[in-house]
Amino acid sequence: MSGTGRASEAEPQRGIAQSDTLAVAGTILGIAGVIGGLFMPLAAWALGLAAIVLGVVGRTRGAGGAWIAAVVVGVLSIACGVVVQLVVLNQ
């Protein structure tokens, strides 16, 4: 079957679906960072950074608009961690 040309038709396309998955995973990590940041500021920083990285990687691979949510929620996660850390240090 190597000469029929059907191998390229059977191959699944991996462009936008994979990058959208990265952006959605980044959004989920960012939300977990915001929630976890209320109790563990360092976890919020780590999860927020991971969300930003996944959002940027998703954007470079051609994600639609889902990468924006990952980056925004990642920044909010880091901000939540900073605010909670400052509140804990000032007590």
Side-chain angles (χ1 to χ4, degrees), residues 7-78:
S8 63
E9 293 175 11
E11 189 77 25
Q13 293 183 354
R14 297 186 185 166
I16 294 177
Q18 187 177 24
S19 58
D20 282 343
T21 303
L22 288 173
V24 170
T27 304
I28 291 171
L29 284 177
I31 291 170
V34 169
I35 294 170
L38 299 174
F39 307 103
M40 302 173 290
L42 294 178
W45 296 352
L47 291 172
L49 182 62
I52 292 171
V53 167
L54 286 175
V56 170
V57 169
R59 185 202 183 287
T60 58
R61 292 191 181 176
W67 68 273
I68 297 172
V71 171
V72 168
V73 176
V75 169
L76 288 176
S77 174
I78 292 173

